[in-house]
Amino acid sequence: DNGATWTAGQASNVYTYTGLSENTAYNIKVKVEDTNGRMSNPYSLSVTTNTYRVPSVTATSTKTSSSITINATGTKGDGNIAKYMYSKDGGSNWITQTSTSTTNSYTFSGLTSNTAYSIRVKVVDNNNRESSVYRVSVTTSYVNPIASITSTSQTSNSITVNAKGTAGSKAIAKYMFSKDAGSTWTTKTTTATTSSHTFTGLSSSTTYNIRVKVVDSSSKESAVVSKSVTTNASVTLTSKVKSLYTSQGANGIYYHTSSLTNGAGDNSYRYAGADPNNYVCFGSTASTCPSKNLYRIIGVFGDQVKLVHATYATTAEIGTASHEYDNKFYWSGSSTNQSSVWSSSTLNKNSLNGTFLTNLGTTWTNKIATTTWYVGGLTYNNALQSNAKTAFNYEVGANKSSTTYSAKIGLPYISEFYYAAKSTYWTYPGVDINKTDYRKSLGNNWMNDGNSYWTISRLSDETNIVAGVKAMGFMGNGYGHDSNFFVRPTFNLASSVKTSGGTGTQADPYRIEI
């Protein structure tokens, strides 16, 4: 300090000033004192302290879609390395790693994909002196969407593909489906996590190479997923039903040979019981069958499958010409037609074999066979108070009337209702004063749907009276021009009609090949 204060030297003539400021000029003076106490002239020297050498740091980085790893290398300065500090937000927040090593690493995890992070790294020495901050911007990896095929189903002429998409860095924008290994694609635009597509017009018994991919809002595509699907063999519905018969009552089917106790003996295959899988979608190719197009198989008669409407027809299907009220219709066609002759019924001629067929359209009506309907009727006793076998014999069997009517559309026979019950009830009368009759089959007869509906059979020993199924499950009757019953259109399919798929349940009815 230019001689303001003095410090006694040492014998080695070396003295160190400590605790000085860096990069500061000091005016050093040195003098010698001899043994007689005489001082030399001071020696003057201006000395500037060095700048403190802080540590330095460099770094490299690796990344994934959700993490960034920083590999740092520290170089000591005048002090020793004591710790490394890391930030991913431009230095707003720091993570400290205590280490004296010249290398260190830290991984930021849980990051967002395709996002830029402002990485900062610095080293601190044991004197708490910091290096310059190493700066780098690192963008996490982009994550493409992921596609998967969750399920497929097929008919003889179609394949339905159900797909799932998992978003990556961006939201899902569309699904793409291919049936020819990716040569051509069908696009479904949706942001949903699932999508489906049905390929139609395919060939039966043919393997198709299904491909699916997902595209996100940045047009990034998933990897393509694939599956080989073979369409079903094309078979007639008649063959399909017959193939399901294994033993009496199995799969809800009875084979009415002459040896079947109380059976019809006409070699028909008939569905019976509470709720067999005998649903058919007729008149529609919609993925979910509309209720108006849902039918049930009565059975196979010869080489033809016979269908009955699963519930009942409405004015939308058969018009209003024979309408009474609330989708109930006059059997005769009107309140003024007091006849129980089917050939005179305008319900028959105008509604069922007129409006109904027109509404179905040519494609579907061509699949319906023209049928000879036995419409002479049977007596009250043989129809209502007899059992299934007797009613069958007098309605369409050995003792049937010779009166017939040829048309595509009719109504169910009484005996068809009887034989639709579990075989336990085939010996029961249709109606009995003691109620030990077909109402006992309620819940075990799929043709009882809780509604009263007309049959095609008149009571030949009554005037203008027609048989009908009552809602409670027993047989009843009413005036064809007055009583209020629903109508269940019934018809035989042409023997050539094929099924393209389905399992026969209400949710997955048999489909008709177009």
Side-chain angles (χ1 to χ4, degrees):
D1 54 11
N2 203 30
T5 59
W6 293 89
T7 301
Q10 299 175 7
S12 63
N13 297 321
V14 174
Y15 183 79
T16 300
Y17 289 100
T18 61
L20 306 183
S21 298
E22 64 176 299
N23 196 30
T24 301
Y26 289 90
N27 294 313
I28 304 298
K29 288 186 180 294
V30 181
K31 60 184 179 178
V32 178
E33 182 181 357
D34 65 15
T35 56
N36 296 315
R38 301 291 294 269
M39 296 282 185
S40 70
N41 292 324
Y43 174 80
S44 298
L45 178 68
S46 180
V47 178
T48 301
T49 55
N50 295 334
T51 299
Y52 189 90
R53 290 184 302 145
V54 296
S56 61
V57 66
T58 60
T60 60
S61 64
T62 58
K63 64 184 179 180
T64 68
S65 61
S66 60
S67 68
I68 296 173
T69 297
I70 305 300
N71 299 299
T73 299
T75 301
K76 68 187 292 292
D78 288 333
N80 294 317
I81 293 173
K83 57 187 175 182
Y84 291 77
M85 298 181 72
Y86 303 87
S87 173
K88 70 177 188 299
D89 52 14
S92 295
N93 297 281
W94 292 91
I95 301 294
T96 300
Q97 295 272 84
T98 300
S99 174
T100 60
S101 174
T102 58
T103 59
N104 189 255
S105 65
Y106 182 77
T107 299
F108 294 103
S109 58
L111 307 184
T112 303
S113 66
N114 193 41
T115 301
Y117 288 88
S118 299
I119 301 299
R120 301 290 184 265
V121 185
K122 61 185 178 180
V123 175
V124 182
D125 67 15
N126 59 326
N127 293 317
N128 209 33
R129 301 296 294 272
E130 296 182 355
S131 70
S132 297
V133 176
Y134 177 85
R135 292 172 169 83
V136 66
S137 179
V138 180
T139 300
T140 49
S141 302
Y142 195 98
V143 178
N144 287 15
I146 299 172
S148 62
I149 298 173
T150 55
S151 65
T152 58
S153 59
Q154 68 281 338
T155 68
S156 64
N157 61 3
S158 70
I159 295 173
T160 297
V161 183
N162 298 304
K164 178 182 179 181
T166 301
S169 296
K170 298 292 184 178
I172 292 170
K174 57 187 176 183
Y175 291 74
M176 299 182 72
F177 300 86
S178 173
K179 69 178 188 299
D180 52 15
S183 295
T184 58
W185 293 91
T186 299
T187 300
K188 291 288 187 73
T189 301
T190 178
T191 59
T193 57
T194 59
S195 183
S196 64
H197 179 68
T198 299
F199 296 103
T200 58
L202 308 182
S203 301
S204 61
S205 301
T206 301
T207 299
Y208 290 86
N209 296 312
I210 303 300
R211 300 289 187 270
V212 177
K213 61 183 176 180
V214 176
V215 183
D216 68 15
S217 57
S218 291
S219 298
K220 300 289 187 179
E221 296 184 356
S222 70
V224 176
V225 290
S226 61
K227 184 178 181 180
S228 293
V229 181
T230 302
T231 50
N232 296 337
S234 180
V235 297
T236 65
L237 187 56
T238 296
S239 298
K240 178 64 178 179
V241 173
K242 286 184 176 181
S243 71
L244 294 173
Y245 172 79
T246 56
S247 61
Q248 297 296 3
N251 296 319
I253 301 173
Y254 287 87
Y255 181 28
H256 285 251
T257 63
S258 58
S259 61
L260 177 61
T261 303
N262 301 313
D266 61 348
N267 293 319
S268 60
Y269 295 80
R270 300 174 186 246
Y271 280 96
D275 189 26
N277 294 332
N278 61 340
Y279 286 90
V280 174
C281 189
F282 187 85
S284 174
T285 58
S287 56
T288 298
C289 189
S291 58
K292 71 175 184 177
N293 298 109
L294 204 57
Y295 289 79
R296 302 192 77 165
I297 301 171
I298 295 175
V300 175
F301 301 86
D303 59 358
Q304 295 177 334
V305 173
K306 193 171 190 179
L307 302 183
V308 62
H309 200 294
T311 53
Y312 52 81
T314 67
T315 54
E317 297 161 71
I318 65 176
T320 59
S322 303
H323 183 236
E324 185 176 8
Y325 73 93
D326 192 27
N327 286 317
K328 295 178 181 179
F329 296 83
Y330 298 110
W331 188 94
S332 67
S334 70
S335 60
T336 59
N337 181 12
Q338 298 184 18
S339 170
S340 61
V341 176
W342 185 241
S343 61
S344 300
S345 167
T346 52
L347 171 68
N348 164 28
K349 295 186 293 184
N350 298 343
S351 300
L352 295 175
N353 287 290
T355 303
F356 179 70
L357 290 176
T358 298
N359 287 339
L360 276 177
T362 303
T363 298
W364 293 96
T365 57
N366 285 344
K367 296 183 182 300
I368 301 174
T370 298
T371 297
T372 298
W373 301 89
Y374 293 96
V375 295
L378 57 169
T379 66
Y380 179 91
N381 285 340
N382 290 333
L384 275 63
Q385 293 191 316
S386 65
N387 56 34
K389 179 65 173 178
T390 300
F392 171 82
N393 283 335
Y394 282 92
E395 193 172 33
V396 294
N399 301 317
K400 65 181 179 291
S401 166
S402 61
T403 304
T404 60
Y405 186 85
S406 182
K408 285 182 178 287
I409 311 300
L411 296 174
Y413 288 119
I414 298 169
S415 55
E416 289 171 342
F417 168 73
Y418 287 156
Y419 279 126
K422 187 177 178 181
S423 60
T424 305
Y425 303 99
W426 292 352
T427 57
Y428 283 55
V431 64
D432 180 78
I433 193 171
N434 295 318
K435 298 184 180 181
T436 306
D437 53 29
Y438 249 69
R439 74 191 77 198
K440 295 290 186 181
S441 72
L442 194 64
N444 285 290
N445 185 337
W446 66 265
M447 282 191 73
N448 182 286
D449 63 352
N451 296 302
S452 298
Y453 60 90
W454 292 114
T455 71
I456 200 170
S457 295
R458 60 188 288 269
L459 300 184
S460 58
D461 56 345
E462 301 282 353
T463 303
N464 303 331
I465 301 293
V466 181
V469 175
K470 302 295 286 187
M472 291 302 295
F474 60 91
M475 285 303 303
N477 60 83
Y479 288 105
H481 62 280
D482 185 34
S483 301
N484 50 357
F485 285 85
F486 291 104
V487 170
R488 299 180 71 173
T490 305
F491 48 87
N492 286 300
L493 296 177
S495 59
S496 60
V497 170
K498 294 180 178 180
T499 175
S500 60
T503 58
T505 64
Q506 186 172 359
D508 184 31
Y510 292 120
R511 295 291 181 152
I512 302 301
E513 187 175 289
I514 299 300

